[in-house]
Amino acid sequence: MARAKSSEVEKDTGVEKVEQILKGAIQEFLAHGYAATSMDRVALAAGVSKATVYSYFRDKEALFSALVEQLAQKKFKVIWDTEKLAGNPKEIIRQLVTTVVTQALVEPEYLTFMRLIIGESGRFPNLAKTFVRYIAKPNIDKLTEYLANCPDFKLADPEATARICIGAVVHFILLQEVMHGKEIMPMEVERLIDGLSELLFSRTTT
């Protein structure tokens, strides 16, 4: 029994250490960008040794990927709560879009993270691919599944429709917040939701 307890303590300590490193890493990436952030900086920000960082993450790219994956998991759970997918499809779509936009707007770090990935994607394409793999694709797949299986929709290509919907939401967030366009061409999120609802339901429901 003593060994089992010791193993559990080590596991808990490892999880806490990883979380500590990731918190330090996100601070450094957001403050200095990907290229300027070093494992030394991350170790200092996390309050651990450089050897400890390397014991959990083989290199900076692996560390960044872990951050994206962690962010994706948190967002995915909030957006795709299974209880929210039961009921009136119009209300579900409205709720999904509202949740996505609200989550982005209430967390400045998320917007800064998006700016970082977009800005660094030219020099470090794997960063953008990581974002697509862990954030964009799972959400498109989930919405595609919902649209394909919901009897209220009669869609010839649910995946294309899912991409159009998510593309509209991402464009809204990028234009309004990431690129500071809300002062130039402001738009309320309710108009976006109404437009998507009209697009989805004008021809697909019986």
Side-chain angles (χ1 to χ4, degrees), residues 80-130:
W80 297 106
D81 183 344
T82 54
E83 294 181 0
K84 296 178 181 179
L85 298 181
N88 186 301
K90 286 187 178 182
E91 290 303 315
I92 289 172
I93 295 298
R94 177 174 290 275
Q95 191 174 51
L96 287 174
V97 175
T98 301
T99 301
V100 172
V101 176
T102 300
Q103 284 288 307
L105 300 187
V106 300
E107 296 185 21
E109 279 191 351
Y110 180 67
L111 295 177
T112 305
F113 203 63
M114 290 182 69
R115 292 189 185 100
L116 169 64
I117 292 173
I118 293 170
E120 302 277 25
S121 62
R123 289 185 296 169
F124 306 102
N126 282 340
L127 301 188
K129 290 179 180 179
T130 298

Side-chain angles (χ1 to χ4, degrees), residues 28-107:
E28 291 302 308
F29 282 127
L30 294 183
H32 305 290
Y34 182 80
T37 294
S38 65
M39 298 295 257
D40 288 305
R41 281 181 176 272
V42 171
L44 184 62
V48 300
S49 68
K50 184 177 178 180
T52 298
V53 176
Y54 275 111
S55 69
Y56 291 100
F57 304 98
R58 67 179 183 276
D59 53 29
K60 185 168 67 171
E61 185 175 326
L63 177 56
F64 191 87
S65 294
L67 275 174
V68 175
E69 189 172 1
Q70 181 190 64
L71 176 64
Q73 289 174 349
K74 289 180 179 179
K75 295 291 182 182
F76 197 83
K77 287 180 181 178
V78 172
I79 296 168
W80 297 106
D81 183 344
T82 54
E83 294 181 0
K84 296 178 181 179
L85 298 181
N88 186 301
K90 286 187 178 182
E91 290 303 315
I92 289 172
I93 295 298
R94 177 174 290 275
Q95 191 174 51
L96 287 174
V97 175
T98 301
T99 301
V100 172
V101 176
T102 300
Q103 284 288 307
L105 300 187
V106 300
E107 296 185 21

Side-chain angles (χ1 to χ4, degrees), residues 104-171:
L105 300 187
V106 300
E107 296 185 21
E109 279 191 351
Y110 180 67
L111 295 177
T112 305
F113 203 63
M114 290 182 69
R115 292 189 185 100
L116 169 64
I117 292 173
I118 293 170
E120 302 277 25
S121 62
R123 289 185 296 169
F124 306 102
N126 282 340
L127 301 188
K129 290 179 180 179
T130 298
F131 185 87
V132 171
R133 182 177 296 112
Y134 289 115
I135 295 182
K137 187 178 186 302
N139 283 287
I140 290 173
D141 289 346
K142 190 67 176 180
L143 183 56
T144 298
E145 178 186 355
Y146 173 73
L147 294 176
N149 295 325
C150 181
D152 292 77
F153 294 99
K154 309 294 181 184
L155 298 169
D157 193 338
E159 182 185 350
T161 304
R163 287 183 178 230
I164 290 169
C165 291
I166 291 179
V169 175
V170 172
H171 179 269

